[in-house]
């Protein structure tokens, strides 16, 4: 896995091949994390997310990370395994999302 540039969106490569994009986006005073993978690479989501979270933990500008997921999503086991907590439903640009937060302060 290779992440390009600093904060913002990254092109994500695996073995030199493009597998998707993702990264951190600041929304007012909070950081959101997003990840979009090509369908044949969906299985890499947790591996990539763990590397991104390690990046956030090492960056003092990011005290926590938000995850916004569509209400149609039913499986949240991966987020809870990471330690993210459910904050509630929010509306963002006219769409409903489930908001989760993960603290990134080093232990």
């Amino acid at each position: 896995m290779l992440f390009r540039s600093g904060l913002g969106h990254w092109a994500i490569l695996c073995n030199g091949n493009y597998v998707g994009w993702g990264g951190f986006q600041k929304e007012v005073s909070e950081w959101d994390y997003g990840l979009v993978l090509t369908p044949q690479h969906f299985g890499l989501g947790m591996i990539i997310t763990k590397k991104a979270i390690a990046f956030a933990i090492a960056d003092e500008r990011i005290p926590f990370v938000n995850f916004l997921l569509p209400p149609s999503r039913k499986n949240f086991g991966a987020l809870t395994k990471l330690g993210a907590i459910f904050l509630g439903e929010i509306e963002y640009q006219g769409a409903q999302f489930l908001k989760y937060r993960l603290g990134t302060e080093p232990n």
Side-chain angles (χ1 to χ4, degrees), residues 42-103:
F42 284 169
L44 296 176
M46 184 55 86
I47 294 167
I48 293 167
T49 297
K50 284 182 178 179
K51 288 182 177 279
I53 297 305
F55 182 94
I57 289 170
D59 192 314
E60 63 188 33
R61 296 173 290 179
I62 308 174
F64 57 83
V65 174
N66 293 323
F67 300 85
L68 303 179
L69 303 166
S72 60
R73 182 150 183 187
K74 301 297 178 206
N75 187 348
F76 300 98
L79 276 179
T80 56
K81 283 181 185 177
L82 285 173
I85 58 169
F86 179 64
L87 297 179
E89 290 190 33
I90 67 159
E91 184 178 324
Y92 179 74
Q93 295 186 348
Q96 289 297 119
F97 290 93
L98 304 176
K99 184 175 183 176
Y100 284 77
R101 178 170 290 165
L102 175 66

